[in-house]
Amino acid sequence: MQVQVNGDAMELPSGATVATLIEQMALAGKRLAVEVNEDIVPRSQHPDFVLSDGDRVEVVHAIGGG
């Protein structure tokens, strides 16, 4: 299936979850926020939230500083 991630097309296996996407992007363990079709997906739901073909996903990295 194909999803849009931060505006770029990405192929994922059917049944992929948000956690699968994060692992494929090498972002596991990083502080980030994920939005699917303009709805925020809480971190606790990443392993269970199944993506669908055509979903629009935004992944935002949290950057510390001060």
Side-chain angles (χ1 to χ4, degrees), residues 46-66:
H46 289 183
D48 301 316
F49 193 101
V50 178
L51 297 168
S52 299
D53 190 50
D55 277 348
R56 294 181 327 275
V57 183
E58 294 291 326
V59 179
V60 180
H61 305 246
I63 300 175

Side-chain angles (χ1 to χ4, degrees), residues 24-64:
Q24 187 163 335
M25 294 177 69
L27 296 174
K30 307 267 187 200
R31 292 177 46 118
L32 48 86
V34 178
E35 187 179 275
V36 178
N37 300 325
E38 301 182 4
D39 291 321
I40 292 176
V41 179
R43 180 181 292 267
S44 62
Q45 293 180 15
H46 289 183
D48 301 316
F49 193 101
V50 178
L51 297 168
S52 299
D53 190 50
D55 277 348
R56 294 181 327 275
V57 183
E58 294 291 326
V59 179
V60 180
H61 305 246
I63 300 175

Side-chain angles (χ1 to χ4, degrees), residues 6-33:
N6 295 345
D8 296 323
M10 178 179 267
E11 278 292 324
L12 292 173
S14 182
T17 64
V18 170
T20 304
L21 171 66
I22 291 169
E23 289 172 17
Q24 187 163 335
M25 294 177 69
L27 296 174
K30 307 267 187 200
R31 292 177 46 118
L32 48 86

